[in-house]
Amino acid sequence: MKKDPSLKGTLISVFVVGFIIVAMWVGVYALYIARL
């Protein structure tokens, strides 16, 4: 059974999307802390 290259691409895209979401939350949190 050979590895499916599309599975690796999907995993990478999921990590990228997750990283973007986390980065957005960190930015919002930093902005909130800066306004206190």
Side-chain angles (χ1 to χ4, degrees):
M1 180 178 166
K2 61 182 180 178
K3 286 195 177 271
D4 195 1
S6 66
L7 187 66
K8 188 177 180 183
T10 302
L11 190 65
I12 290 172
S13 63
V14 166
F15 273 115
V16 168
V17 171
F19 179 78
I20 290 171
I21 292 171
V22 169
M24 280 171 49
W25 274 106
V26 168
V28 170
Y29 182 72
L31 190 66
Y32 174 74
I33 291 297
R35 291 192 176 213
L36 286 178

